Amino acid sequence: MIDIKGTSTFTQAAVPAARTATVTGTGFNVSDYNGNITFIQSVGTVSGTTPTLDGKIQDSADDSSYADVSGATFTQVTASTNLQSLNVDTRSVRKYLRYVGTIAGTTPSFGLSCTAVGQKQAV
């Protein structure tokens, strides 16, 4: 068994909650990370009429003005119980990353969280 928590840093890119509107996570500084950060989008119960969730990762140089990271989008979610992950290479993005989940539909609700996992540089 591997202890990934011992070598990795976990960041809640979107705290677990029932979400009914677009979620914009708090940006976090990735300049101390080595290589890839894996984002894990977890969806539990979904309800509403034609609900959709479009998750993506954005980057910023100053934690103020964000833009989409090319290729860092999750497959659209429309039903309950969905788990996806994607990797972002910290060497190819700006200093800050955040998660954005765009929610649409009629009275949509998504049980949603997003966690970022990466390895920080040794001090």
Side-chain angles (χ1 to χ4, degrees):
M1 182 180 226
I2 298 172
D3 177 17
I4 64 167
K5 185 156 177 59
T7 60
S8 299
T9 298
F10 293 75
T11 301
Q12 286 188 321
V15 296
R19 306 294 187 152
T20 59
T22 295
V23 177
T24 301
T26 302
F28 65 99
N29 187 333
V30 298
S31 60
D32 291 339
Y33 285 80
N34 288 323
N36 287 339
I37 292 179
T38 301
F39 286 85
I40 303 164
Q41 177 184 268
S42 179
V43 175
T45 302
V46 174
S47 64
T49 304
T50 61
T52 60
L53 167 66
D54 294 295
K56 62 186 174 184
I57 307 304
Q58 295 183 325
D59 72 352
S60 171
D62 58 6
D63 198 23
S64 177
S65 177
Y66 278 85
D68 296 350
V69 174
S70 178
T73 57
F74 294 97
T75 300
Q76 186 178 73
V77 178
T78 59
S80 297
T81 315
N82 184 282
L83 182 65
Q84 298 180 51
S85 66
L86 59 84
N87 292 318
V88 174
D89 186 343
T90 59
R91 297 165 294 192
S92 64
V93 294
R94 295 179 292 170
K95 187 174 182 179
Y96 295 91
L97 292 177
R98 73 177 182 187
Y99 170 82
V100 175
T102 302
I103 293 175
T106 303
T107 62
S109 180
F110 286 83
L112 169 66
S113 70
C114 186
T115 303
V117 182
Q119 187 173 27
K120 286 195 171 185
Q121 299 174 21
V123 178

